[in-house]
């Protein structure tokens, strides 16, 4: 597939029952405005559904948003499912109400980056440009 | 020299000063981007502006100055801290702690599975049980939650919407067991499904059957539980989703009129249900904008209820409301600064004449609040109430040219109306203003410090063991209850849903038989179907 060198295919996802979608929508719009292809899952998805969509849509990265406190269960589960299905090159990043002390364990679980409250959209857009390799 | 009017002052004293010292700190706008004039003067108000018409007196139409003739001189607002986490035992302990610290009403936070009408053993509940609120699956949990709390004496607020019928039924069933008659119960159930589709996104069924369930509850309560506030029409979540103050008011009042029309369509008389409708507002950082919003809300509601819906009972005209400070305004950086923000927001709510108030805890951008953080938040209200002196006079900002002009301006903006997508647009615009430094957030885009120097905050942890304890209790209740009675109750409920009968009585019967929240929702889903939104970016 021939892709513009800067353009990534990204999935922004809401997993679990958490309905706080303000952050996810702002991020999705900012990434779209930065020239990426952005797919937004909508609310209340299971990790299985998010991983299915990511694989079907052949995305470069998944950005997950959780503000309900279930991140220690749901983030690692998405990563595990991706690995089980051989999609090891999909970068996973996350954001939400995530205490400092959870950052280490989440990185160990395979999360590339965690964006906490107060992150500017600009810094996230820069991170995506730097850290997510464009494939194909 | 002394100028005789605004125009002279602008042309002389002001003009000379602007040459030397231009007003470079602008643009001067509220958090919601309303223009702010340099100076409040009589010229801000239209010719013929009549305080008797626009303001009235406290306790009289149009209630701009407050719903009570004496406001906080006779009785302070209810200090009502939202609490709930873990299992029913954990939250019962927190309730007793708060009552012991001088809180005057309870406010219950349920966990996400409960809020969404799902049991703790549901696949989608994984990782969420007891995390954002208390887990309630059956009446057995509710009995523990209110154990030792006399329901005839406290007033209880329950933040629950799509599963509100089940939770209100459980509360009534606990009252029965305590021997408290329904007409002595006081409290509020949020029960506002329209704002779920707009902002908070917790739903089960499509909008129409959901609205029917609400009208069923209002109808039941107006006859059986007359002191209960059957709905708390909520702007809070719409604001948290990123709307402006004006949009918060516009959408929420529109939702309120929607409920009024649904009840009228059912054949209820407006004065039979309208006195028990209540509101729930957000209080954000912009002090005067918030005060004006609260005052405008009262005037619009009163005018419309009287003139459009023909309500005769003055209680139907009163916009009574709860306020919560703005969670979305708090920062994870330098978290102690949040105490100052909450103080300003709480003061706006008090100056705006709120009936009850929740103050956010400074640690809420990091975790559920610890007891220490909750105590500071409650003390903030007590300091405003007991030390600041602002409660001694009614509507102290009334008559301020600026505040009255802002109030009038908000009323006018509401009359224009707003489409849905504007919330998402407004939240994106606000974030960009913050990113560009056009709106200042102390500690985030100005006066930052390195993370390593920031105040360490104690984190409230919900252990995984909560989920296990909750699942164990659910299994036990299911094993011990009369399975046939549950099934029969659920069949009767589905039947009521198919027909036109009031659904609340059969829900109450299912709850008494220890049917779970998820089973009751499932029985209704088979008739009503489910809902999935079309996402708008």
């Amino acid at each position: 597939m021939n892709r513009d060198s800067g353009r990534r295919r990204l999935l922004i996802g809401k997993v679990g029952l958490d309905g706080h979608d303000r952050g996810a929508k702002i991020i999705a719009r900012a990434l779209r405005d930065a020239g990426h292809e952005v797919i937004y899952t909508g609310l209340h998805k299971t990790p299985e559904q998010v991983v299915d969509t990511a694989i079907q849509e052949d995305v470069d990265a998944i950005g997950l948003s959780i503000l309900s406190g279930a991140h220690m269960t749901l983030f690692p589960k998405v990563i595990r499912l991706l690995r089980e299905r051989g999609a090891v090159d999909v970068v996973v990043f996350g954001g939400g109400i995530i205490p400092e002390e959870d950052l280490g364990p989440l990185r160990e679980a395979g999360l590339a980056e965690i964006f906490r409250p107060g992150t500017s959209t600009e810094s996230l857009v820069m991170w995506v440009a730097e850290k997510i390799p464009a494939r194909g | 020299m002394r100028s005789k009017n605004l125009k002279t002052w602008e042309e002389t004293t002001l003009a000379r000063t602007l040459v030397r010292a231009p007003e470079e700190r602008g643009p001067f706008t509220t958090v919601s981007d309303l223009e702010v004039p340099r100076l409040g003067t009589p010229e801000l108000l239209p010719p013929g502006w009549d305080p008797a018409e626009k303001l009235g007196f406290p306790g009289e139409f149009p209630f701009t100055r407050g719903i009570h003739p004496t406001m906080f001189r006779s009785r302070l607002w209810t200090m009502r801290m939202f609490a709930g986490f873990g299992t029913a035992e954990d939250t019962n302990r927190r309730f007793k702690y708060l009552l012991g610290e001088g809180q005057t009403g309870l406010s219950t936070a349920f966990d996400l599975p409960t809020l969404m009408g799902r049991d703790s053993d549901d696949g989608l509940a994984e990782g969420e049980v007891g995390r954002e609120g208390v887990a309630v699956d059956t009446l057995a949990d509710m009995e523990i939650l209110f154990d030792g709390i006399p329901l005839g004496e406290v007033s209880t607020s329950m933040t629950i919407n799509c599963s509100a019928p089940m939770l209100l039924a459980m509360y009534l069933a606990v009252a029965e067991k305590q021997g408290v008659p329904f007409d002595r119960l006081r409290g509020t159930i949020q029960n506002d499904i329209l704002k779920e589709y707009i902002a908070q996104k917790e739903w089960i069924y499509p909008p129409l059957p959901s609205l029917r369930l609400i009208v069923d509850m209002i109808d039941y309560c107006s006859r059986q539980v007359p002191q209960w506030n059957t709905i708390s029409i909520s702007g809070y979540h719409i604001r948290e989703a990123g709307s402006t103050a004006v949009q918060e008011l516009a959408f929420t009042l529109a939702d309120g009129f929607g409920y009024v029309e649904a009840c009228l369509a059912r054949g209820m008389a407006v004065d039979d249900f309208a006195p028990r409708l209540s509101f729930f507002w957000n209080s954000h950082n912009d002090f005067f904008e918030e005060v004006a919003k609260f005052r405008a809300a009262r005037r619009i509601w009163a005018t419309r209820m009287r003139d459009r819906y023909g309500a005769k009972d003055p209680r139907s005209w009163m916009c009574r409301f709860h306020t919560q400070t703005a969670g979305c305004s708090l920062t994870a950086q330098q978290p102690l600064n949040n105490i100052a923000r909450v103080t300003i927001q709480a003061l706006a709510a008090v100056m705006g004449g709120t009936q009850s108030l929740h103050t956010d805890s400074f640690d809420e951008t990091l975790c559920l609040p610890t007891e220490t953080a909750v105590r500071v938040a409650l003390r903030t209200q007590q300091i405003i109430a007991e030390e600041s002196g602002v409660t001694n006079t009614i509507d102290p900002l009334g008559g301020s040219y600026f505040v009255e002009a802002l109030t009038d301006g908000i009323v006018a903006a509401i009359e224009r109306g707003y489409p849905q997508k504007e919330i998402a647009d407004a939240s994106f615009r606000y974030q960009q203003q913050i990113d560009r430094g056009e709106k200042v957030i102390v500690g985030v885009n100005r006066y930052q410090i390195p993370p390593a120097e920031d105040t360490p905050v104690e984190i409230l942890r919900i252990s995984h063991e909560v989920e296990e304890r909750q699942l164990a209790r659910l299994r036990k209740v299911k094993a011990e209850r009369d399975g046939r009675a549950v099934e029969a109750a659920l069949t009767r409920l589905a039947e009521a849903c198919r027909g036109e009968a009031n659904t609340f009585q059969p829900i109450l019967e299912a709850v008494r038989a220890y049917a779970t929240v998820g089973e009751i929702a499932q029985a209704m889903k088979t008739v009503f179907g489910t809902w999935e939104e079309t996402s708008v970016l």
Side-chain angles (χ1 to χ4, degrees), chain B residues 81-140:
Chain B
M81 304 297 279
F82 192 36
F85 60 93
T87 61
E89 289 89 347
D90 300 319
T91 300
N92 179 264
R93 268 195 299 276
R94 177 66 69 94
F95 278 171
K96 288 176 175 162
Y97 168 82
L98 286 166
L99 292 169
E101 291 289 323
Q103 170 165 293
T104 45
L106 295 174
S107 177
T108 320
F110 297 100
D111 72 355
L112 267 173
T114 309
L115 290 170
M116 295 288 287
R118 291 170 186 266
D119 292 338
S120 300
D121 58 2
D122 187 291
L124 263 176
E126 192 183 353
E128 310 267 20
V129 175
R131 209 165 272 286
E132 272 195 326
V134 57
V136 173
D137 291 312
T138 68
L139 177 57

Side-chain angles (χ1 to χ4, degrees), chain A residues 21-22 45 68-69 102 121, chain B residues 128 131 201 240 435 532:
Chain A
D21 58 0
R22 178 175 178 176
K45 300 301 175 217
S68 69
D102 290 349
T121 52
Chain B
E128 310 267 20
R131 209 165 272 286
K201 318 291 172 88
E240 290 288 302
D435 286 355
E532 184 144 9

